[in-house]
Amino acid sequence: PGKKVLIVYAHQEPKSFNGSLLKIAVEELTKQGCSVTVSDLYAMQFEPRATRNDIVGHLHNSEAFNYGVETWEAYKRGALSKDLLEEQKKVQEADLLIFQFPLFWFNLPAILKGWMDRVLVQGFAYDLSKVYDGGLLQGKLSLFSFTTGGGQEMYSKEGIGGDIRYVLWPMQHGIMHFCGVKVLEPHICYAPENVSEEKRKEMLAAWSQRLKTLWKEEPIDCSPEWYFK
């Protein structure tokens, strides 16, 4: 209770299955006394491209543009664009980050990947000597909640898609763990479009149920073994 949650949501349609998962999370966590903030990226028309516009005022090096260096320098002098400062403030205040999205091409939708690219800048989320367990966003939890197009059997070690954990490695380990954020077990709804209405209801109920005891969960072991053993 009293925890702060940021849900970064990437789906175009509120009536979608992802929209239902979002609604359940907001309702359940609010009921627990959490304060919940949603960044609805499509509704916000969030800019996914990392460009010169992310820096207000002069550049550190106007001869050759280096996004990583420029945003780092801009962060230090408080000169990042307003949309980035707003998202960073939400991240800073959150105890838990939930990412809700449909899997696109074994990956995050571009608008959500752009959020990661632009918001988690050096100086804010990590520093060259402060990464992984030393990352700058320590003390926070994250959870990737997503839907897939293919069924569960497709995403198994023996399946055509390989273990779903391989897909999670760049997101959970390469982004969240890199920034010092602890990672809870992902919540995966396999192929909601291809199952019965009954099964979809069960999936939604399972999410609601899980959220009730979420704060008692232990994070996964953030090591290559979890993904590739």
Side-chain angles (χ1 to χ4, degrees), residues 43-229:
M44 292 156 68
Q45 297 191 325
F46 186 81
E47 167 61 82
R49 294 169 301 178
T51 68
R52 159 76 179 88
N53 298 337
D54 294 349
I55 295 103
V56 176
H58 71 87
L59 288 177
H60 179 67
N61 174 2
S62 51
E63 298 301 301
F65 184 72
N66 177 324
Y67 186 81
V69 170
E70 293 297 344
T71 48
W72 184 25
E73 292 295 335
Y75 176 75
K76 288 190 281 197
R77 61 171 199 271
L80 286 172
S81 61
K82 187 167 160 288
D83 61 338
L84 292 195
L85 293 174
E86 282 170 6
E87 294 307 299
Q88 287 177 346
K89 186 168 186 291
K90 294 176 195 174
V91 171
Q92 196 74 66
E93 291 176 350
D95 297 298
L96 167 67
L97 309 167
I98 297 178
F99 299 99
Q100 182 63 61
F101 60 96
L103 198 65
F104 281 6
W105 294 117
F106 276 36
N107 217 318
L108 301 165
I111 200 165
L112 178 51
K113 177 58 166 59
W115 185 93
M116 303 282 189
D117 292 350
R118 295 180 62 227
V119 175
L120 303 174
V121 304
Q122 186 171 345
F124 170 68
Y126 68 94
D127 235 315
L128 292 182
S129 60
K130 299 188 176 79
V131 296
Y132 290 111
D133 292 340
L136 299 176
L137 299 180
Q138 289 169 60
K140 299 182 187 301
L141 291 169
S142 61
L143 193 167
F144 286 79
S145 169
F146 61 95
T147 57
T148 66
Q152 190 161 2
E153 62 294 336
M154 259 180 79
Y155 290 105
S156 62
K157 273 202 168 66
E158 296 69 42
I160 184 90
D163 195 323
I164 192 72
R165 292 182 176 200
Y166 305 157
V167 173
L168 289 160
W169 169 254
M171 305 174 196
Q172 294 187 162
H173 187 75
I175 304 177
M176 285 296 115
H177 185 200
F178 187 85
C179 297
V181 179
K182 293 229 185 315
V183 181
L184 295 173
E185 281 278 352
H187 198 85
I188 309 166
C189 292
Y190 291 98
E193 286 185 16
N194 305 335
V195 300
S196 66
E197 189 54 40
E198 201 45 53
K199 188 84 185 95
R200 277 198 290 273
K201 285 201 175 104
E202 278 170 31
M203 286 179 176
L204 294 174
W207 176 226
S208 176
Q209 204 48 48
R210 179 176 176 192
L211 288 162
K212 288 186 187 354
T213 55
L214 198 64
W215 301 103
K216 296 195 176 81
E217 289 186 20
E218 284 299 315
I220 64 166
D221 159 38
C222 269
S223 67
E225 287 74 36
W226 188 88
Y227 299 89
F228 301 109
K229 64 171 184 272

